[in-house]
Amino acid sequence: NIDKIDEIQRTVWDILKYCPTIIDTRKGKNGWDPWLVSYAKHHQLVVVTWERRWPWRVPNVCKDFQVECIDLLTFLRELEIQL
């Protein structure tokens, strides 16, 4: 619905104001990370990533915006998938 889309967009702008370098394309970063975090926040989803905590990385932004974030290995363990 339109209200949910507006909320997601506002959160994307909040993320970009909070950490503008999250989409620094000069370093090969794409612009999807703020949208991913915002969408997860407004749909109560968990973000799964390879990234480790580091300033302005997805796990830190998730933590700061109250979005659960786990790494891929944790995700696989939770699904009881053995490698």
Side-chain angles (χ1 to χ4, degrees):
N1 79 34
I2 296 298
D3 292 333
K4 182 73 80 172
I5 293 169
D6 287 344
E7 291 173 18
I8 291 168
Q9 287 179 324
R10 277 193 293 275
T11 301
V12 167
W13 284 115
D14 291 342
I15 291 169
L16 290 171
K17 285 188 282 185
Y18 177 71
C19 54
T21 59
I22 195 169
I23 59 167
D24 185 356
T25 55
R26 292 173 297 161
K27 294 183 180 179
K29 296 180 183 179
N30 64 43
W32 290 108
D33 289 350
W35 290 96
L36 174 71
V37 174
S38 182
Y39 189 88
K41 177 179 180 68
H42 292 285
H43 289 89
Q44 293 79 46
L45 300 172
V46 177
V47 173
V48 179
T49 181
W50 276 111
E51 290 183 354
R52 298 283 183 207
R53 293 201 186 281
W54 193 261
W56 313 132
R57 293 274 179 108
V58 168
N60 288 33
V61 175
C62 285
K63 180 178 178 240
D64 294 341
F65 281 83
Q66 294 80 48
V67 175
E68 185 177 357
C69 181
I70 60 175
D71 63 36
L72 184 59
L73 294 177
T74 300
F75 175 70
L76 294 174
R77 280 189 212 111
E78 288 182 5
L79 293 177
E80 298 180 358
I81 295 174
Q82 296 180 358
L83 300 176

